[in-house]
Amino acid sequence: MNPMKRKQMEDRLHELEREIAQTEAAIAQCETQLQNFVSADETQRVGQELSKSKGNLQRLMKEWEELSGILETTA
């Protein structure tokens, strides 16, 4: 594999790891907020945000797994 391409992939992998950590923190925050009822509207808003964050986490994890696998097989 081209060393420049490998470096770009490694950089993206590190970026994904940061995004995954941020998304996991956002999910934890939403789950904490849902434990304290404020209003039906707020609960619905936080629930939607939680759902969106979980979907985003799945997408990020899939990309991370694919990229990690590529880098492992070309090591």
Side-chain angles (χ1 to χ4, degrees):
M1 175 183 289
N2 178 333
M4 199 160 129
K5 177 73 172 169
R6 182 169 182 80
K7 173 74 170 121
Q8 289 174 336
M9 293 174 80
E10 289 170 349
D11 290 347
R12 177 63 183 149
L13 192 67
H14 293 301
E15 183 180 325
L16 284 168
E17 289 168 352
R18 284 190 298 276
E19 289 180 38
I20 288 167
Q22 290 172 345
T23 304
E24 288 174 335
I27 289 170
Q29 182 179 8
C30 286
E31 289 173 341
T32 299
Q33 288 176 340
L34 287 173
Q35 293 176 2
N36 302 314
F37 180 80
V38 174
S39 70
D41 289 341
E42 181 65 9
T43 298
Q44 184 178 3
R45 185 192 68 76
V46 174
Q48 289 172 344
E49 186 178 327
L50 177 61
S51 179
K52 181 180 171 186
S53 292
K54 285 184 175 182
N56 191 31
L57 180 62
Q58 286 181 332
R59 181 187 58 79
L60 291 169
M61 291 297 292
K62 183 179 180 194
E63 184 180 351
W64 183 89
E65 289 171 1
E66 290 171 358
L67 195 53
S68 181
I70 292 169
L71 286 171
E72 273 185 23
T73 58
T74 60

